[in-house]
Amino acid sequence: MVLFRIAPDWQLPERAATSEAAYVNRRQFLRVIGAAGLTIAAGPLSSCRAKATDTSTLEASLDLPQVRRVSPNPEFADLDRPLTDRLLAGQYNNYYEFGGTKSIWAKAQTLPTDPWTLTVGGLVKNPATYDRDDLMQKFPLEERLYRFRCVEAWSMALPWLGFPMRLLLEAAEPLPEAQYVRFTSYYQADITPGPGVFSSFYPWPYTEALRLDEMANELAFFAVGLYGRLLPKQHGAPIRAVIPWKYGFKGAKSIVGIEFTAEKPATFWNTVQANEYAFESNVDPKVPHPRWSQSQERFISTGPDLSWEMRPTLPYNGYESYVAGLYA
Ligand SMILES: Nc1nc2c(c(=O)[nH]1)N[C@H]1C(S)=C(S)[C@@H](COP(=O)(O)O)O[C@H]1N2
Ligand SMILES: [Mo]
């Protein structure tokens, strides 16, 4: 007797899988890192060297099932810059639960994402729990190309796949007294050891928060995929927040809880160092970080030379027309 494994409904069957040529010139990229290791030129602030010693493992961490029935949102189909190569994005991450460096992609593979439960609660009419299939099926999925800007002044351009936060907000129906939403990331001390010896000083679990009018903005997004495939663990599988007009740390990874509150919630980086990581943290070239300027960004290019490309920081990361009204 032959047992057939039924692919989940959201998964694109392997035989129908499309080429990745639309996203990257993968062959060329592999040739470069295969020959010389991958060196990212040092920016003015910090010297950074990311070496891909095991490209096959890195690729395996990204070669996840393709997601089907994803509509490209035409409003976010073009950017003023090329997309970042997925092999570069997939090995240069911030995910403090797995370490304090950029090279956590291998460590993050121990994150258990199946099964997954996301709990929506707090001041809402409709508390809910979502499992992995719900995350892929409950809301119509779309693809959006967004600029991505870290508070550390590096940036990327990434093709997220997911759904606007507004849809989950409407499903939850917050009560009138709800003013904020808090996102809580996965945390299990034995699985997410944190950044070395100082780990126990951090206010785990990682949390972030938005005002409800920010959550309702057209741009605020939950990503469940990247480059046409399921979201890789190093990028915050199975669901993470993407708020493209704010610094990257506002986008909590691997979300297990969404809670609606009346008071402004305490958040992870703001608790660690409030003067460096403001609650609002909108991308602004004119407001320097206490330790560096934010007037320019180091756009992580798609190679083949793999060096940073310096670009002027755009107010609200280029999304002023969508969000400036929130802060008038
Ligand atoms: N849970 C959690 N979420 C997180 C972080 C983190 O350390 N833990 N880092 C943040 C920061 S500082 C950035 S820039 C982005 C990085 O996302 P990426 O690695 O997918 O590019 O994730 C954000 N979300
Ligand atoms: Mo960041």
Side-chain angles (χ1 to χ4, degrees):
M1 194 179 109
V2 181
L3 289 176
F4 291 95
R5 197 174 119 50
I6 311 285
D9 190 51
W10 48 263
Q11 185 176 327
L12 194 72
E14 228 19 79
R15 69 191 129 75
T18 53
S19 128
E20 245 134 25
Y23 292 122
V24 288
N25 187 345
R26 191 155 144 275
R27 294 213 162 277
Q28 181 188 36
F29 188 86
L30 283 176
R31 191 156 37 74
V32 173
I33 53 181
L38 166 59
T39 306
I40 300 169
L45 304 174
S46 67
S47 166
C48 160
R49 195 152 199 277
K51 203 172 178 205
T53 43
D54 188 349
T55 326
S56 61
T57 325
L58 173 60
E59 286 213 88
S61 78
L62 305 174
D63 281 345
L64 302 167
Q66 292 198 358
V67 181
R68 66 191 230 175
R69 287 201 293 271
V70 180
S71 330
N73 184 325
E75 204 174 331
F76 306 106
D78 292 301
L79 284 178
D80 59 349
R81 58 197 72 187
L83 287 179
T84 298
D85 188 288
R86 71 183 191 120
L87 286 172
L88 193 45
Q91 65 174 283
Y92 190 82
N93 305 95
N94 273 334
Y95 202 162
Y96 259 58
E97 288 87 333
F98 292 102
T101 70
K102 295 285 172 288
S103 359
I104 53 72
W105 65 266
K107 289 183 189 140
Q109 301 314 309
T110 58
L111 179 77
T113 55
D114 193 8
W116 190 265
T117 307
L118 164 63
T119 307
V120 179
L123 300 173
V124 285
K125 207 166 141 197
N126 309 315
T129 59
Y130 297 95
D131 67 16
R132 254 170 65 102
D133 283 342
D134 296 332
L135 297 178
M136 306 304 294
Q137 282 167 336
K138 175 125 170 94
F139 306 104
L141 298 180
E142 50 179 85
E143 182 177 71
R144 297 185 178 198
L145 279 44
Y146 274 166
R147 286 179 285 273
F148 183 90
R149 174 62 149 78
C150 175
V151 70
E152 296 162 341
W154 55 268
S155 68
M156 295 188 182
L158 299 170
W160 301 107
L161 185 163
F163 54 91
M165 287 191 187
R166 174 177 40 79
L167 297 182
L168 187 141
L169 180 70
E170 285 163 6
E173 293 193 66
L175 302 176
E177 55 269 39
Q179 299 293 319
Y180 295 90
V181 60
R182 178 171 64 169
F183 309 108
T184 303
S185 295
Y186 176 90
Y187 179 74
Q188 287 294 320
D190 52 333
I191 295 172
T192 52
V197 290
F198 299 112
S199 184
S200 58
F201 295 99
Y202 285 89
W204 308 110
Y206 193 101
T207 52
E208 257 309 330
L210 295 174
R211 296 180 349 208
L212 279 203
D213 59 344
E214 295 176 324
M215 185 189 192
N217 184 270
E218 170 61 24
L219 295 177
F221 202 65
F222 286 120
V224 298
L226 190 58
Y227 300 101
R229 297 174 179 271
L230 278 187
L231 195 60
K233 295 185 177 186
Q234 58 266 49
H235 287 291
I239 180 168
R240 62 93 56 84
V242 181
I243 304 120
W245 73 96
K246 292 179 180 286
Y247 291 118
F249 72 90
K250 294 295 292 181
K253 292 180 167 182
S254 307
I255 299 172
V256 296
I258 298 177
E259 195 192 350
F260 293 85
T261 66
E263 308 300 326
K264 187 194 271 191
T267 53
F268 185 85
W269 285 115
N270 187 257
T271 302
V272 171
Q273 195 68 13
N275 70 322
E276 300 197 353
Y277 309 105
F279 181 88
E280 196 167 83
S281 282
N282 295 324
V283 175
D284 189 341
K286 294 204 283 290
V287 177
H289 184 280
R291 291 182 279 138
W292 55 80
S293 163
Q294 294 288 27
S295 67
Q296 286 193 292
E297 62 187 41
R298 302 194 298 281
F299 177 60
I300 295 181
S301 75
T302 53
D305 66 339
L306 304 173
S307 55
W308 306 113
E309 184 190 325
M310 299 304 292
R311 287 178 171 248
T313 300
L314 305 172
Y316 298 102
N317 204 22
Y319 296 104
E320 191 163 13
S321 62
Y322 288 89
V323 298
L326 289 170
Y327 311 104

